[in-house]
């Protein structure tokens, strides 16, 4: 089996699992909708477009966190990871498969969140959509690795937000900047740079994290 | 050896008090401390890289100690920066001071390092995960710096300008002395802490061997 085939097989496994169990995806979708409703009441009456846009990013990051906390649940609870580590494939393929499946979940949730946001608050621009897509790459690349790290410890999901939020701050800056300023390309370029840098780093270091 | 380092420090630190007469004297503490914190994080990442590539367990403790020192100096940077902000702009906190915001982010990130480390069982996996974390931290520094600089554009449309400290030769020299002093202090603390941690882990091994 080639590397690519491994990644495809692992991604398929995660997507199938989600399709059968349906535990994470509906929870994420409901969470993002409720968060938007709460924000509506948290904002002042004469809310600005920019404030609402910022809150959209808060909602996206927290929804991603909710999903990421569950990414390795099956691996830990059912001891899937022990089998995967023994499988004759490159270990970074496990990370890649997980990151891609998480990306799919997040994109599906945003398919609900973005239209909902434009109905509740203000229409989203093309630059924001591009920013969200680029941000997803970074969130999933980094988040999958750090979720694996936090699930290895006793703290489990409790720890993930602690290091995920400071780490993801540049993504929020890039995403908000893309939607809020007249010069979105600069921020999108920054997001792409972040994605590239941290995806390579996560890809390279995943092997060390799962070594027992 | 530690005593020797301490004596050296006293020599290094002594001329610094003489420099305190300068205006913006906190600059001589704040900036070297900040640079030292960066140096500690960089050192931690270097040790982490060595651990991952070579697999030598002793780099784990070294990397951990360096992060420990980095966080201490990071807190000092936050405190001195905050005092400086209070003096020059009459506010304890300003979001337009990029270094300060960067240090807050780094401080939060590296504080979680300890949480992560203490939640893991000691051993190979903990060493690896801590090392990966330290590596991410050092990549996060420039990326966050860039991000905070970019964020200035929409958070603070007006760029906060202030005249930096005028660097005359004497000031620059004393600045260098302070920097060397702080680095030496960090190195001494690092060695001290490392020795302590080594004894600690050795003791634990012995106790386990006894039981």
């Amino acid at each position: 089996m080639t590397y690519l085939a491994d990644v495809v097989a692992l991604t398929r496994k995660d997507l199938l699992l989600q399709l059968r169990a349906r535990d994470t995806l509906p929870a994420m979708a409901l969470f993002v909708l409720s968060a938007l409703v709460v924000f509506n009441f948290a904002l002042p009456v004469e809310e600005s477009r920019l404030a609402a846009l910022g809150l959209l990013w808060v909602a996206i990051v927290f929804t991603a966190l909710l999903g990421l906390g569950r990414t390795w649940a099956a691996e830990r609870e059912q001891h899937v990871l022990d089998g995967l580590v023994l499988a004759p494939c490159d270990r970074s393929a496990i990370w890649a498969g997980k990151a891609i499946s998480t990306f799919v979940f997040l994109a599906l949730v945003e398919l609900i969140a973005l239209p909902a946001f434009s109905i509740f608050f203000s229409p989203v621009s093309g630059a924001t959509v591009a920013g969200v897509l680029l941000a997803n790459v970074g969130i999933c690349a980094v988040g999958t690795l750090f979720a694996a790290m936090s699930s290895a410890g006793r703290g489990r999901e409790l720890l993930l937000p602690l290091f995920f939020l400071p780490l993801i701050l540049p993504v929020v800056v890039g995403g908000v900047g893309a939607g809020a300023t007249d010069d979105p390309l600069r921020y999108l370029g920054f997001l792409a740079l972040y994605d590239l840098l941290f995806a390579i780093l996560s890809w390279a270091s995943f092997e060390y994290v799962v070594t027992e | 050896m530690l005593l020797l380092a301490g004596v050296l420090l006293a020599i290094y630190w002594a001329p610094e008090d003489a420099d305190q007469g300068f205006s913006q004297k906190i600059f001589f503490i704040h900036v070297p401390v900040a640079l030292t914190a960066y140096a500690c994080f960089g050192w931690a990442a270097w040790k982490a890289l060595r651990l991952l590539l070579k697999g030598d367990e002793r780099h784990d403790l070294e990397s951990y100690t360096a992060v420990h020192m980095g966080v201490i100096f990071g807190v000092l940077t936050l405190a001195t920066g905050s005092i400086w902000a209070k003096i020059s702009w009459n506010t304890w906190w300003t979001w337009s001071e990029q270094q300060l915001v960067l240090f807050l982010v780094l401080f939060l990130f590296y504080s979680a390092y300890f949480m992560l480390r203490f939640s893991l069982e000691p051993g190979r996996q903990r060493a690896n995960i801590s090392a990966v974390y330290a590596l991410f931290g050092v990549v996060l520094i420039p990326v966050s710096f860039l991000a905070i600089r970019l964020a200035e554009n929409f958070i603070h449309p007006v760029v906060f300008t202030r005249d930096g400290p005028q660097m005359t030769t004497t000031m620059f020299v004393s600045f260098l002395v302070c920097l060397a002093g702080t680095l030496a202090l960090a190195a001494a603390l690092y060695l001290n802490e490392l020795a302590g941690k080594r004894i600690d882990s050795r003791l634990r091994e012995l106790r386990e061997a006894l039981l």
Side-chain angles (χ1 to χ4, degrees):
Chain A
M1 277 227 283
T2 60
Y3 188 78
L4 202 65
D6 290 340
V7 174
V8 171
L10 286 162
T11 313
R12 207 171 139 263
K13 174 210 74 160
D14 283 329
L15 293 179
L16 261 180
L17 260 179
Q18 189 51 231
L19 209 63
R20 302 260 163 83
R22 290 197 204 90
D23 52 357
T24 314
L25 204 53
M28 284 167 78
L30 272 177
F31 176 81
V32 81
L33 282 180
S34 356
L36 288 178
V37 172
V38 169
F39 289 158
N40 178 47
F41 292 102
L43 281 173
V45 182
E46 302 93 20
E47 38 122 321
S48 70
R49 194 184 71 85
L50 288 182
L53 190 67
L55 286 180
L56 171 70
W57 280 93
V58 175
I60 288 176
V61 167
F62 279 91
T63 309
L65 257 179
L66 193 73
L68 284 169
R70 294 291 300 167
T71 36
W72 298 97
E75 270 74 3
R76 287 290 162 191
E77 285 160 18
Q78 319 286 340
H79 303 286
V80 179
L81 199 59
D82 299 340
L84 284 181
V85 169
L86 288 176
C89 69
D90 200 302
R91 285 192 190 140
S92 59
I94 304 172
W95 168 82
K98 200 56 116 178
I100 293 171
S101 59
T102 314
F103 180 87
V104 172
F105 297 155
L106 202 54
L108 283 174
V109 169
E110 281 155 0
L111 219 55
I112 302 168
L114 289 178
F117 180 81
S118 39
I119 293 169
F120 291 162
F121 298 96
S122 57
V124 285
S125 63
T128 303
V129 176
V132 165
L133 275 178
L134 278 173
N136 279 1
V137 178
I139 289 174
C140 295
V142 173
T144 316
L145 176 81
F146 276 75
M149 278 160 75
S150 72
S151 71
R154 284 189 299 271
R156 298 283 151 109
E157 287 88 5
L158 179 71
L159 281 177
L160 181 63
L162 292 183
F163 30 77
F164 183 70
L165 288 180
L167 199 59
I168 218 70
L169 184 89
V171 167
V172 175
V173 169
V176 174
T181 54
D182 305 326
D183 182 22
L185 273 182
R186 210 165 140 219
Y187 292 91
L188 293 179
F190 174 71
L191 276 178
L193 178 79
Y194 179 96
D195 292 349
L196 193 70
L197 201 63
F198 279 99
I200 291 174
L201 198 59
S202 310
W203 174 77
S205 50
F206 182 75
E207 189 188 334
Y208 298 107
V209 170
V210 287
T211 313
E212 294 295 322
Chain B
M1 196 183 74
L2 274 170
L3 203 67
L4 192 72
V7 172
L8 267 176
L9 270 175
I11 297 167
Y12 268 122
W13 276 100
E16 200 193 339
D17 273 318
D19 303 328
Q20 302 267 318
F22 286 108
S23 60
Q24 279 186 309
K25 59 197 172 197
I26 201 162
F27 165 82
F28 289 109
I29 313 269
H30 176 64
V31 180
V33 163
L35 290 176
T36 307
Y38 285 136
C40 287
F41 291 141
W43 186 248
W46 166 243
K47 285 293 177 191
L49 196 66
R50 290 279 297 271
L51 170 86
L52 290 183
L53 295 182
K54 296 258 176 69
D56 192 344
E57 294 267 342
R58 90 194 142 86
H59 291 309
D60 177 44
L61 260 189
E62 289 171 356
S63 175
Y64 169 44
T65 315
V67 171
H68 197 157
M69 289 302 123
V71 168
I72 292 174
F73 279 89
V75 172
L76 278 178
T77 309
L78 280 178
T80 53
S82 196
I83 293 168
W84 194 6
K86 177 71 185 166
I87 294 166
S88 18
W89 310 311
N90 203 27
T91 166
W92 288 110
W93 187 259
T94 160
W95 286 107
S96 56
E97 179 56 46
Q98 295 166 356
Q99 288 282 330
L100 224 50
V101 179
L102 177 61
F103 261 96
L104 185 64
V105 173
L106 286 181
F107 168 69
L108 289 174
F109 184 77
Y110 277 108
S111 301
Y113 174 94
F114 299 106
M115 301 281 296
L116 178 65
R117 200 180 159 88
F118 291 129
S119 83
L120 294 165
E121 298 296 329
R124 184 76 203 155
Q125 197 187 18
R126 183 175 85 167
N128 278 343
I129 288 182
S130 306
V132 169
Y133 199 91
L135 273 180
F136 265 81
V138 94
V139 176
L140 185 67
I141 294 175
V143 172
S144 292
F145 186 70
L146 202 61
I148 289 162
R149 185 153 277 185
L150 279 173
E152 293 279 297
N153 290 341
F154 59 88
I155 298 181
H156 308 280
V158 186
V159 179
F160 210 105
T161 52
R162 66 185 166 83
D163 39 0
Q166 302 296 311
M167 280 286 216
T168 61
T169 320
T170 45
M171 281 178 99
F172 190 63
V173 168
S174 46
F175 169 70
L176 283 183
V177 170
C178 289
L179 183 60
T182 327
L183 281 174
L185 175 69
L189 283 172
Y190 170 79
L191 288 176
N192 186 7
E193 187 70 23
L194 192 61
K197 285 200 166 87
R198 281 224 178 100
I199 292 169
D200 212 39
S201 77
R202 183 96 186 87
L203 199 66
R204 199 167 299 136
E205 275 168 27
L206 281 174
R207 197 183 295 145
E208 268 163 27
L210 269 175
L211 288 176

